[in-house]
Amino acid sequence: MASGLYPYFRPIESEQGATVMMDGKDVIMMGSNNYLGLTNHPEVKKAAQKAIDQYGTGCAGSRFLNGTLAVHQECEEVLADFMGTEAALVFSTGFMTNQGVIAHLVPREGVLLLDRLDHASIIDAARLSFGKTIKFNHSDMADLEKKLRVQKNKTKLIVVDGVFSMEGDLAPLPDIVHLADKYGADVIVDDAHAVGVIGPGGQGTASHFSVKDRILGTIGTFSKSFASIGGFFAGPEDVVHYLKHHSRALIFSASPPPANMAAVIKAVEIIRREPQRIDRVWELTNYLKKALLAEEFAIGKPESPIIPVYVGDDMTVFRACMMLQEEGVFVNPVISPAVPPHHALIRLSLMSTLTEKQLDYAVEKLVKVGKALGFVGIQPPEGVEVAKPERA
Ligand code: PMP
């Protein structure tokens, strides 16, 4: 690619705050998943440092054998309590959680039903499963029903992102659980982008839609609102027990370091103590949506702090990202296969620690770059619904 247009692996020289240091310059961070601004919170950092003092830097083994520390178990208890489930199980990344859960829950004669826009880690998990994988069109309930109807007498598991990670829209969980009940399927929700942000207290999309008791479980990650790295499954005790003894990603890989567990425990404590962080990220989300709509950007139908700005083709997105960085704004480029072909977009994601003034500056620069590259006032791609600014 032409020099100066490659928008990946750009090094950041500071903490992941509302502004970050790049090439020695302050840049407004409009592309982080640090939704509640906790990755650089002094209490979270201190908790992680204390865990290093107590346990050291690594576990030197998997959860199954020598790698379970008291802090892993404490973290699981905290997560089960936060999610309101019987139990929780911690993995080393969110990606591995999907592999370690989904791949093991349907037998050889079973069927996995996945939304076409599910995260790559769900798609890969399905490849590892002995069951058959069937994809349905994005949030298309008629298509899901058509595909469920013909799978009589088979174990069926529907897996969806709670918040779709590139487009920012929510899975229609009430309709999904209705179909699951009708056709005897289980449902798992990957709430990587929802825990800490959506639902009462940040409990996730199933809680938001009041269908928590009708899903089998939730998968979450620590790499977003929970200020760390790792992942978890939250669900019934018997499923957790089964996974503990069958999940290859859990049994055959080292457990996450103690500092990361301590950071999660502290992050959850802060989220519970300071619910205003959740309100704030929503306030900023609605503010930004309104500002982008007023400037006639095509922003689809985001229902979370992820706001996609549709741009069209891949090269324009690359150019836009690098021009915005020059202007002091960091944004992420998203192209196929992360989104369907010709749906290339700038993925904006918000942190509760940003300010309206910073958002105004970012919008001003987006308008400048958008006008120069011709993506202001364009229509969203066919089939993409249009936004209405409100809280999910
Ligand atoms: N699921 C979804 C929906 C995601 O967006 C991501 C990461 N972006 C993951 C799983 C993987 O999580 P992690 O980064 O913790 O591996």
Side-chain angles (χ1 to χ4, degrees):
M1 182 178 299
S3 74
L5 283 187
Y6 183 70
Y8 300 113
F9 299 98
R10 288 176 278 168
I12 290 170
E13 297 139 9
S14 65
E15 298 180 329
Q16 191 112 166
T19 57
V20 295
M21 182 76 76
M22 297 179 83
D23 279 337
K25 275 191 343 201
D26 272 346
V27 175
I28 298 174
M29 176 42 85
M30 298 285 291
S32 178
N33 299 314
N34 178 21
Y35 298 119
L36 302 180
L38 294 174
T39 59
N40 55 346
H41 191 290
E43 284 182 53
V44 176
K45 291 203 275 191
K46 204 153 156 218
Q49 282 154 2
K50 198 163 154 240
I52 291 178
D53 289 342
Q54 183 178 349
Y55 293 104
T57 51
C59 306
S62 91
R63 294 294 312 282
F64 196 59
L65 296 174
N66 58 301
T68 291
L69 304 172
V71 73
H72 291 113
Q73 287 180 333
E74 188 190 340
C75 189
E76 287 169 346
E77 281 161 23
V78 164
L79 289 166
D81 190 47
F82 181 80
M83 296 299 292
T85 54
E86 280 177 11
L89 184 62
V90 159
F91 293 73
S92 298
T93 67
F95 198 103
M96 285 169 71
T97 312
N98 272 328
Q99 292 205 340
V101 175
I102 293 160
H104 300 285
L105 291 185
V106 295
R108 201 172 285 277
E109 321 71 48
V111 181
L112 277 163
L113 292 116
L114 310 185
D115 187 293
R116 241 175 237 295
L117 295 191
D118 274 353
H119 189 259
S121 55
I122 298 175
I123 308 290
D124 284 11
R127 288 185 184 137
L128 289 176
S129 165
F130 287 120
K132 182 174 166 192
T133 299
I134 297 173
K135 289 187 189 166
F136 58 94
N137 294 334
H138 179 50
S139 293
D140 181 340
M141 294 300 100
D143 194 34
L144 174 59
E145 179 156 25
K146 197 168 96 193
K147 285 168 177 161
L148 278 166
R149 193 182 294 132
V150 292
Q151 302 298 331
K152 290 207 178 73
N153 306 321
K154 291 197 179 147
T155 303
K156 295 180 276 297
L157 177 64
I158 302 167
V159 187
V160 289
D161 287 17
V163 171
F164 285 87
S165 57
M166 297 301 139
E167 292 79 3
D169 56 327
L170 302 186
L173 287 186
D175 298 334
I176 290 174
V177 296
H178 168 72
L179 290 178
D181 286 349
K182 186 168 170 188
Y183 293 99
D186 280 315
V187 178
I188 286 190
V189 180
D190 176 347
D191 252 350
H193 295 274
V195 285
V197 174
I198 287 177
Q203 211 180 45
T205 43
S207 267
H208 165 69
F209 285 119
S210 306
V211 296
K212 197 163 80 63
D213 298 337
R214 294 171 68 190
I215 65 166
L216 182 62
T218 300
I219 282 165
T221 173
F222 302 149
S223 61
K224 307 183 198 305
S225 293
F226 287 173
S228 185
I229 182 151
F232 68 96
F233 171 77
E237 178 69 50
D238 58 344
V239 177
V240 166
H241 182 80
Y242 177 84
L243 292 171
K244 274 176 148 172
H245 300 92
H246 290 83
S247 174
R248 293 165 75 85
L250 182 85
I251 295 171
F252 296 105
S253 188
S255 49
N260 300 64
M261 297 300 95
V264 172
I265 294 167
K266 187 53 79 177
V268 170
E269 185 190 313
I270 296 171
I271 293 167
R272 288 178 137 163
R273 191 181 73 206
E274 298 173 9
Q276 62 273 23
R277 285 178 183 270
I278 303 177
D279 294 337
R280 180 67 184 145
V281 78
W282 278 104
E283 213 170 80
L284 292 171
T285 300
N286 290 330
Y287 183 88
L288 182 62
K289 267 199 224 176
K290 233 191 218 161
L292 292 168
L293 286 171
E295 296 294 349
E296 297 187 357
F297 284 106
I299 64 166
K301 189 189 148 222
E303 297 168 301
S304 70
I306 301 168
I307 305 188
V309 174
Y310 288 97
V311 164
D313 71 277
D314 298 354
M315 282 312 278
T316 310
V317 172
F318 296 154
R319 264 196 195 102
C321 287
M322 299 316 284
M323 285 166 75
L324 283 163
Q325 187 179 325
E326 276 297 300
E327 298 282 354
V329 182
F330 183 102
V331 298
N332 283 309
V334 180
I335 62 166
S336 168
V339 288
H342 315 297
H343 285 211
L345 55 92
I346 292 171
R347 179 184 183 277
L348 303 175
S349 47
L350 295 179
M351 269 180 276
S352 61
T353 43
L354 283 157
T355 63
E356 280 83 358
K357 203 166 155 220
Q358 287 169 320
L359 299 192
D360 289 345
Y361 180 87
V363 171
E364 183 193 319
K365 298 303 173 189
L366 264 163
V367 169
K368 181 174 171 189
V369 169
K371 283 193 172 149
L373 298 179
F375 63 86
V376 178
I378 62 168
Q379 290 301 308
E382 217 186 306
V384 170
E385 282 184 65
V386 179
K388 43 178 182 347
E390 66 195 22
R391 177 173 178 159

